[in-house]
Amino acid sequence: MPEWWTYSTEDFLLFSSRTYWRLIERHNEALWPAHVLMLLLGAAILLWLIRPRPWSHRATAGTLAVLWAWLAWSFLWERYATINWAASYVAPLFAFQAILLALIGSRVRWSLSWTGRAPLGLALFLYALALHPLATLLAGRPPGGVEVFGITPDPTAIATIGLVMMAEERWSWLLLAVPMAWCLASWATLHSMGAPEQWMLLGAALVALIPAARRRTARPASTEHS
C-alpha cells in the first residue's frame, strides 16, 4: 500500500476531465439562451455600481441571492451531484449563501469606488463577466463548454467576491466565506485536470483575504472656547 504522501489530487478525483467538461456542455445546452439573460443581469449590476439608485443596492443583493439559490438546484443538485456525490452536500451551502445575501446584502451599499481594495474587486467582477467565458476557448475546449456568470458556479463565485470587495458594510465579509470556499474547492478540481482557469480561482480566493481599509470619520473641530 503506497504511503499517503505519494498521492496527488488526481488520485482523489471522482471523474475524468472529459466527463466534467461534457457535463458543463450539457448544462449549457439545457439552459440556452438563459446565458444572454445572465450577461444582461451582470451588465445591469455594473450599471447599478456606476450609477447607484435608492433601490439598486437591494436589487444587486436580490439578484445575487437568486443566482446562488438557482445554482444550488440547477447545477449542483441536478447535474454535478450525478458525477460527484459531494455536490449534494455543497448545494445547501449555496442556499445558505443566498439567504445571507438576502439578509445582509440588502443592507450593504454596493457602489463603485477607486479606493482600498475596490479596484481589485471591480477587476474580478469584470473578469468573471466578460473574460472567464473566453478561458474555455483559450484552453482549446469547444465553445459549448463556456462557463458563464449565473449559469455555472466558478464565474459566479469570482464575481461575488469582486462585488463584496466593493461593498460598504462592516458585516459584508460574511458574504465571502462560501464563494472563497467554492473557489478553493474548484481550484483543487481544476488543478487535478490541468485546466488553466484554476489559477484565477485560487487568485480570487487569495485576493479576498486582503483586509478592507478602515474608514475614519473625521470629528468636526470644536468651536467652543473655555
Side-chain angles (χ1 to χ4, degrees):
M1 180 177 180
E3 302 295 341
W4 64 268
W5 58 79
T6 63
Y7 287 97
S8 64
T9 53
E10 290 87 346
D11 297 312
F12 298 96
L13 198 62
L14 301 176
F15 43 83
S16 67
S17 59
R18 181 176 181 179
T19 298
Y20 180 80
W21 297 122
R22 179 54 185 158
L23 180 140
I24 299 293
E25 292 178 18
R26 289 171 55 199
H27 186 60
N28 284 333
E29 291 170 0
L31 295 182
W32 177 261
H35 303 65
V36 178
L37 173 61
M38 296 303 175
L39 292 176
L40 289 176
L41 284 176
I45 291 175
L46 181 60
L47 180 61
W48 297 336
L49 291 172
I50 297 173
R51 302 186 64 181
R53 297 290 188 269
W55 46 265
S56 62
H57 307 301
R58 290 189 177 183
T60 298
T63 299
L64 290 175
V66 170
L67 292 182
W68 278 85
W70 159 252
L71 287 171
W73 176 78
S74 68
F75 185 84
L76 293 176
W77 190 265
E78 288 290 307
R79 293 212 180 267
Y80 200 20
T82 61
I83 64 171
N84 185 355
W85 59 266
S88 59
Y89 294 94
V90 179
L93 292 178
F94 272 50
F96 179 65
Q97 175 71 6
I99 294 173
L100 286 179
L101 284 163
L103 296 178
I104 299 176
S106 59
R107 302 179 181 180
V108 169
R109 178 178 175 81
W110 309 84
S111 60
L112 181 59
S113 172
W114 300 109
T115 60
R117 59 181 189 168
L120 284 175
L122 177 62
L124 285 179
F125 180 73
L126 292 177
Y127 165 83
L129 193 64
L131 298 181
H132 192 80
L134 299 179
T136 296
L137 305 179
L138 294 177
R141 297 193 300 272
V146 297
E147 296 185 78
V148 176
F149 168 76
I151 297 294
T152 52
D154 286 3
T156 307
I158 295 173
T160 301
I161 289 175
L163 288 170
V164 174
M165 290 178 69
M166 290 185 276
E168 299 178 11
E169 168 62 42
R170 63 176 181 171
W171 295 109
S172 60
W173 61 270
L174 292 172
L175 302 175
L176 287 173
V178 175
M180 285 177 61
W182 175 263
C183 283
L184 291 174
S186 188
W187 166 76
T189 300
L190 295 181
H191 179 71
S192 302
M193 298 187 294
E197 299 96 318
Q198 61 174 297
W199 301 115
M200 198 62 205
L201 288 158
L202 179 61
L206 294 178
V207 166
L209 295 175
I210 298 176
R214 294 181 178 178
R215 295 178 175 82
R216 297 180 179 179
T217 303
R219 295 182 178 179
S222 175
T223 57
E224 296 180 5
H225 299 278
S226 56

